[in-house]
Amino acid sequence: MPIDSGNLALKGLDDLFSTEENRQEEQREQVQQIPIGELHPFTNHPFKVVDDEAMTRTVESIAQFGVLAPLIARPRPDGDGYEIISGHRRQFAAKMAGLETLPVIVRNMDDDAATILMVDSNLQREHISPSERAFAYKMKMDAMKRTAGRPSKENSRQVVGNFETADLIGKESGESGRQVQRFIRLTNLIPELLNMVDEKKVSFNPAVELSYLSTEQQQEMINAMDDTQNAPSFSQAKRIKKLAQEGNFTSEAVVDIMGEEKKSELDTVTIKNETLRKYFPRSYTPRQMESIIIKLLDQWQLKKQQAKQKKQEEAR
């Protein structure tokens, strides 16, 4: 029986295309359903997973629709499960919603590549505290510097030093390299002071200046704040930093500086947003709240004038 050369050619092409399709399928990342207990946090993960209102909404969404965006994880070196690179909040919410498995993309990544991806994916969040940003930038800078130190055929140009690395990080994050370095300075604060920055009890710029103090000096700083019931202004923090650099730092000198009355405090009254929110619906904008407060103050002033006028009339 004659052999159909045309069929042979077609069969060969089918095998060729099938093989190429299989190769592409193998390279394509697959979403796996992995038991939630086999997923572990990234080592030294700098981002906090907070059980707040936003998390409550996420839990409700996952309970109704499931986890729509897969997590990214890598196998742990000891073979015991997987380390989460992106998706810590989704895992927490899924636990709260009672899910047993999660959709996960598993990637084999070295420590530095995983660190950079972990930081980049979390920096997209809407609310990030100063301490989270500080440690995230530091982890990414360290990873980028280590990666740059290894030769690469694709990119022979290496990142050199903190300044250039900070510029690259800032460009990706929409900030200047200088600001990135200032955030990283916060990682030198003791936990008590860093918490005060997150809680907005100490402003960012003064905190950067205080980061140059030693651990003992920072503790003395906290004691001075307690004694004077005062937070440092930028100029006060700079003066205290200068005392430390010149070897003239003493608890008495710090208390004297912290006890000074700030001109801005004489001219400004500040009401925290959380205080006002107790009296207004959440839908009210700051401008609407300000308008109502002014109207109430006008009414209060009018009542005071009427009471004063009535008192004067009674005295006649």
Side-chain angles (χ1 to χ4, degrees), residues 3 8 27 39 41 50 65 70 75-76 80 101 119 124 140 144 158 171 174-175 187 194 212 227 239-240 243 309:
I3 298 174
L8 282 176
Q27 292 175 0
L39 297 165
V50 182
F65 303 107
R76 299 176 88 188
D80 181 22
T101 63
V119 170
Q124 306 305 316
K140 185 174 181 179
M144 288 177 67
Q158 296 182 355
K171 187 178 295 184
E175 296 190 275
T187 62
L194 191 54
Y212 290 90
D227 291 343
R239 289 162 60 193
I240 292 169
L243 286 178
Q309 185 177 357

Side-chain angles (χ1 to χ4, degrees), residues 78-89:
D78 57 7
D80 181 22
Y82 303 86
E83 183 180 49
I84 301 172
I85 297 173
S86 173
H88 292 80
R89 286 175 55 81

Side-chain angles (χ1 to χ4, degrees), residues 230-244:
N230 208 355
S233 66
F234 180 53
S235 62
Q236 287 175 325
K238 286 185 69 174
R239 289 162 60 193
I240 292 169
K241 171 188 170 184
K242 186 176 181 181
L243 286 178

Side-chain angles (χ1 to χ4, degrees), residues 128-135 183 186 194 197-199 204:
I128 302 175
S129 69
S131 65
E132 290 176 315
R133 192 175 293 275
F135 281 103
F183 267 108
L186 297 184
L194 191 54
V197 179
D198 283 345
E199 295 167 1
F204 177 79

Side-chain angles (χ1 to χ4, degrees), residues 210-228:
L210 298 180
S211 70
Y212 290 90
L213 304 181
S214 68
T215 299
E216 294 76 15
Q217 290 169 341
Q218 290 184 41
Q219 188 58 58
E220 287 291 339
M221 186 70 209
I222 292 177
N223 296 338
M225 290 171 62
D226 288 339
D227 291 343
T228 60

Side-chain angles (χ1 to χ4, degrees), residues 167-278:
D167 285 338
L168 290 174
I169 294 172
K171 187 178 295 184
E172 295 168 358
S173 306
E175 296 190 275
S176 68
R178 172 63 177 160
Q179 187 70 351
V180 168
Q181 289 188 309
R182 286 163 61 77
F183 267 108
I184 292 176
R185 281 298 322 171
L186 297 184
T187 62
N188 294 286
L189 292 174
I190 61 176
E192 294 90 338
L193 266 179
L194 191 54
N195 287 338
M196 290 181 182
V197 179
D198 283 345
E199 295 167 1
K200 299 183 180 178
K201 294 178 180 177
V202 175
S203 299
F204 177 79
N205 288 332
V208 172
E209 299 301 311
L210 298 180
S211 70
Y212 290 90
L213 304 181
S214 68
T215 299
E216 294 76 15
Q217 290 169 341
Q218 290 184 41
Q219 188 58 58
E220 287 291 339
M221 186 70 209
I222 292 177
N223 296 338
M225 290 171 62
D226 288 339
D227 291 343
T228 60
Q229 289 297 294
N230 208 355
S233 66
F234 180 53
S235 62
Q236 287 175 325
K238 286 185 69 174
R239 289 162 60 193
I240 292 169
K241 171 188 170 184
K242 186 176 181 181
L243 286 178
Q245 291 175 332
E246 295 175 346
N248 297 322
F249 184 102
T250 65
S251 57
E252 293 79 8
V254 174
V255 169
D256 286 344
I257 293 175
M258 291 297 298
E260 295 171 356
E261 199 168 24
K262 303 183 185 72
K263 185 179 184 304
S264 60
E265 292 177 348
L266 299 176
D267 300 333
T268 306
V269 175
T270 302
I271 303 176
K272 292 184 178 179
N273 190 51
E274 56 265 29
T275 302
L276 292 176
R277 285 295 176 192
K278 293 190 296 185

